[in-house]
Amino acid sequence: MKISHLIIFAPEIAVLSLALLLLILDWVTPKRKKVWIGYFSAIMILVFMGGFLCLAKNRFFPYAASFHGFIFDAFALYFKELFLLVAFLVTLFSVNFFKQEDEGQGEYYALLLFVTLGCFLLVSSADLLMLFLSFEMMSIPLYVMCAYAKKDSKSSESGLKYFLIGAITSALLLYGISLVYAATGTTNLHLFIDGLVSANKLAYNPILLLGVVLMLCAFSFKIAAVPFHMWAPDVYEGAPAPVVAFLAVSPKIAVIGLMTRLFLAGMQPLQPLWVFLFAVLAALTMTVGNLAALFQQNLKRLLAYSGIAQMGYILVGFASIQPFFKNMPTLQIGYQAILFYLAAYLFSDLAAFGIVTYLSAHGIEEIKSLKGLAEKNPMLAFLFLISLLSLAGVPPLVGFVGKFYLFLAAVSSKLYWLAVLGVVNSVISLFYYLRVARSMYFEKEEGVSIPYPSFSMQVALLVAIFGILAVGVYPFVITHLSIQVLTPLSNVPISHAMK
Amino acid sequence: MIGIFHYLALSVILFCIGLYGVLTRRNGIAVLMSIELMFNAANINFAAFSYYFKGASFVSGQTFPLFVIAVAASEAAVGLAIVLSLYRNRKTVNVDEANQLRG
């Protein structure tokens, strides 16, 4: 390894240095000027996004490099751009959420970047040790962020609940990894996959199966798939709104990305088991998420259940992945649909959470207190409507295209019942999203007026709404990108290492 | 003669005790301790199997617990801080009494 090879760690090094720089800045900034740390961080994140795009345009794009435990490839870069986008939007939301007298704002932005760094490493990990460490790197700062409003007992409770669930998740993941190590004798992912392929009987090794199922349980906890979803509504309700926006998107995308890599690159011998497991998980998650959302009064709880349902749709993509063999690699539509839907989820959910953050800063958290929002603040109401419709999957918004691809994947692998269930669920979801719209548009109430958002908030909301509309009307940007990103992964073995 | 399956059985038992503790104990600190048990069950697996494999892959099994110990320590630090912050707001460390959030 030469020193010039460090360039493959460029994204991680950049984000880590920025986080450390923010800590130093926090130290020297006077208390009333803390908000500038947030703006500075947002601008630097934009610069990084541009820089990594240049890296991608350069010779690095089709290039896969791996060290022991770390892979840098186009797939990882796609996810890293998504995480940076999330970090950018959430930073702008937070700048508008926290008040001048709130404590610890400087460290908050650094913590946000540490979580982003954990997500970066998670989608790049090629070793179970790396996987575990980055999983923790992603989770631990988030516990702190959930409990960030120290004086608010709800926030502490939310932090405690997220911490306990997170610690159980880590323990399950770790025990799963230890069993996988016991069964295969390696923690390196590509050796582990080769081991599985060469000794097919390993696929029916009970220790291995148990280990893999425990790992799957841990992932399900993180993405809040039913039956591991009970924590989500409570944690979402108590935590500060911008933190919720963050924890609803970044870790979920990271875990789905990791699962995609595991499946595309390996675990193929266990395929028949997966298809069944994922189909059941997807059906349960969609249905329970949507049905429970029908009865929610609190906006954050509503979005929590809606997020659960969204993850159910993504699991449909996993269920529709066909068994595939090393000698005939084909790129399957299921993977593409997953990658596309992640982008769709990012834009729609962040737009919705952006508005919820803004409303929450003005003391509105219940659906019934949204009454008359359309008159008081038409722009905000309209943007909220668009984001909710995109989450529900109404054409021509991005959520519709994403669901279309996912259900198409299900149909193409003959899971007709799952596709039908998905469509039925989308119809159910329309009901509760429109209930929010009815409250905003058709119920009148005189009350406090809500001021127009500040410039930075407008920028953040418009970026998210622009994503919803642009990708919805012209989805080929992302589908084309997803083919480019996935093809090298399915053709080139991971063990193609940089020596 | 103590074989690999004895270690495996020990770790499974330890893991189950930890899981039982997490699900039944109501004191926040006790739940933290049960989680530590679960982590250490996995460590026993790593150590035992790294000795069992001996070949090229045994190093990863031995380094894994070192990292896990560090991670568990940092997790406990954050967890205790959060329990403390809850205690300041509610004057309790009982997980059951943390029930303001229920829809």
Side-chain angles (χ1 to χ4, degrees):
Chain A
M1 179 182 161
K2 289 186 227 137
I3 196 80
S4 63
H5 289 168
L6 274 180
I7 190 130
I8 72 165
F9 295 106
E12 283 74 19
I13 293 174
V15 169
L16 180 62
S17 349
L18 178 58
L20 296 177
L21 181 64
L22 290 186
L23 286 179
I24 296 171
L25 279 182
D26 176 46
W27 197 28
V28 296
T29 318
K31 188 148 191 223
R32 295 173 53 205
K33 300 268 165 66
K34 296 279 192 211
V35 90
W36 291 103
I37 297 178
Y39 287 125
F40 174 71
S41 167
I43 289 168
M44 286 308 287
I45 290 170
L46 269 191
V47 171
F48 289 165
M49 281 177 78
F52 299 165
L53 272 184
C54 292
L55 211 62
K57 285 267 184 278
N58 228 323
R59 66 198 172 89
F60 284 99
F61 197 76
Y63 194 80
S66 81
F67 290 109
H68 186 76
F70 185 89
I71 312 174
F72 176 81
D73 56 2
F75 178 81
L77 204 56
Y78 172 82
F79 279 90
K80 286 172 192 182
E81 290 284 345
L82 291 188
F83 297 138
L84 281 181
L85 187 59
V86 178
F88 172 70
L89 294 178
V90 173
T91 304
L92 288 187
F93 296 161
S94 314
V95 166
N96 286 284
F97 181 79
F98 290 110
K99 297 184 182 59
Q100 213 175 54
E101 64 272 16
D102 285 346
E103 276 179 61
Q105 285 184 51
E107 299 112 71
Y108 172 87
Y109 300 108
L111 282 178
L112 204 145
L113 287 175
F114 283 129
V115 178
T116 306
L117 180 63
C119 296
F120 272 29
L121 292 170
L122 194 63
V123 290
S124 276
S125 54
D127 190 284
L128 293 173
L129 177 59
M130 187 66 166
L131 190 159
F132 177 71
L133 290 179
S134 44
F135 199 82
E136 291 299 302
M137 175 102 205
M138 180 181 83
S139 311
I140 293 178
L142 264 177
Y143 308 146
V144 180
M145 287 171 80
C146 276
Y148 219 71
K150 274 192 293 191
K151 303 266 162 56
D152 180 7
S153 67
K154 276 190 173 179
S155 175
S156 307
E157 182 182 331
S158 152
L160 181 68
K161 281 189 172 161
Y162 194 48
F163 167 75
L164 289 179
I165 291 295
I168 296 170
T169 307
S170 307
L172 286 178
L173 179 70
L174 185 65
Y175 202 71
I177 289 173
S178 79
L179 289 181
V180 166
Y181 172 71
T184 60
T186 175
T187 58
N188 191 311
L189 277 185
H190 75 255
L191 287 179
F192 159 54
I193 290 152
D194 291 347
L196 283 184
V197 174
S198 62
N200 212 1
K201 63 178 195 304
L202 267 183
Y204 301 98
N205 180 334
I207 295 184
L208 179 66
L209 278 186
L210 184 62
V212 170
V213 168
L214 281 178
M215 283 172 72
L216 184 67
C217 288
F219 296 151
S220 308
F221 261 122
K222 247 331 169 242
I223 63 170
V226 176
F228 307 104
H229 68 291
M230 292 312 293
W231 58 274
D234 285 0
V235 170
Y236 281 34
E237 190 187 340
V243 176
V244 181
F246 193 46
L247 90 93
V249 182
S250 259
K252 287 187 179 180
I253 291 185
V255 169
I256 297 279
L258 175 73
M259 282 162 72
T260 317
R261 192 191 279 289
L262 285 182
F263 277 74
L264 194 56
M267 302 239 178
Q268 296 298 340
L270 298 175
Q271 205 81 45
L273 173 77
W274 289 129
V275 171
F276 174 71
L277 264 182
F278 275 115
V280 172
L281 210 59
L284 273 178
T285 307
M286 284 191 293
T287 316
V288 173
N290 277 322
L291 289 181
L294 288 175
F295 306 103
Q296 300 308 317
Q297 301 304 325
N298 181 295
L299 276 174
K300 278 149 117 188
R301 286 188 92 88
L302 180 87
L303 283 181
Y305 281 112
S306 133
I308 292 169
Q310 302 288 332
M311 286 301 123
Y313 300 133
I314 287 188
L315 290 174
V316 171
F318 280 106
S320 55
I321 290 167
Q322 298 282 323
F324 110 162
F325 303 98
K326 254 202 166 165
N327 48 2
M328 42 170 264
T330 47
L331 187 55
Q332 297 182 19
I333 184 175
Y335 292 116
Q336 273 191 63
I338 293 169
L339 250 61
F340 187 91
Y341 204 79
L342 286 179
Y345 176 70
L346 186 157
F347 286 123
S348 323
D349 218 43
L350 277 183
F353 266 119
I355 290 162
V356 169
T357 304
Y358 189 70
L359 293 173
S360 165
H362 292 88
I364 297 181
E365 288 207 347
E366 303 292 315
I367 293 176
K368 62 174 185 292
S369 50
L370 279 175
K371 280 177 189 168
L373 187 71
E375 277 189 6
K376 289 180 219 159
N377 199 331
M379 186 185 95
L380 212 58
F382 183 64
L383 294 186
F384 200 21
L385 181 67
I386 289 186
S387 58
L388 290 180
L389 287 181
S390 176
L391 281 174
V394 173
L397 304 172
V398 68
F400 168 75
V401 188
K403 274 184 195 160
F404 177 74
Y405 282 138
L406 283 173
F407 299 154
L408 194 69
V411 168
S412 72
S413 55
K414 301 202 169 54
L415 284 166
Y416 300 114
W417 65 275
L418 203 57
V420 170
L421 190 67
V423 174
V424 170
N425 264 300
S426 304
V427 176
I428 298 176
S429 73
L430 202 55
F431 181 77
Y432 60 80
Y433 290 127
L434 286 180
R435 197 161 61 99
V436 177
R438 192 190 66 184
S439 184
M440 288 192 301
Y441 278 91
F442 298 113
E443 287 170 14
K444 302 253 180 315
E445 193 179 77
E446 298 297 313
V448 283
S449 69
I450 297 159
Y452 267 80
S454 67
F455 176 70
S456 58
M457 192 68 187
Q458 283 179 16
V459 169
L461 287 179
L462 288 180
V463 166
I465 297 287
F466 176 77
I468 293 179
L469 291 173
V471 184
V473 174
Y474 193 74
F476 310 106
V477 198
I478 304 272
T479 48
H480 184 68
L481 202 62
S482 68
I483 293 174
Q484 270 189 326
V485 160
L486 286 165
T487 311
L489 211 62
S490 55
N491 289 334
V492 186
I494 285 189
S495 49
H496 174 74
M498 189 199 250
K499 288 285 182 323
Chain B
M1 178 65 197
I2 293 180
I4 193 73
F5 279 97
H6 294 91
Y7 287 106
L8 196 58
L10 172 68
S11 93
V12 169
I13 292 169
L14 208 56
F15 185 79
C16 291
I17 293 175
L19 194 61
Y20 176 78
V22 167
L23 297 177
T24 56
R25 296 306 292 261
R26 302 286 44 121
N27 185 310
I29 310 290
V31 175
L32 271 176
M33 287 161 70
S34 308
I35 288 167
E36 294 293 314
L37 275 186
M38 290 165 81
F39 273 76
N40 284 321
N43 281 349
I44 289 178
N45 264 354
F46 281 120
F49 276 90
S50 80
Y51 181 76
Y52 173 73
F53 285 127
K54 286 198 174 100
S57 62
F58 88 117
V59 182
S60 55
Q62 291 187 353
T63 45
F64 219 117
L66 291 181
F67 284 99
V68 172
I69 290 167
V71 165
S74 58
E75 206 161 60
V78 167
L80 284 174
I82 292 176
V83 171
L84 210 62
S85 135
L86 186 81
Y87 179 75
R88 280 197 186 142
N89 285 320
R90 298 260 178 92
K91 300 282 170 264
T92 175
V93 290
N94 191 326
V95 181
D96 270 351
E97 284 170 39
N99 56 3
Q100 279 190 344
L101 303 169
R102 206 158 272 179

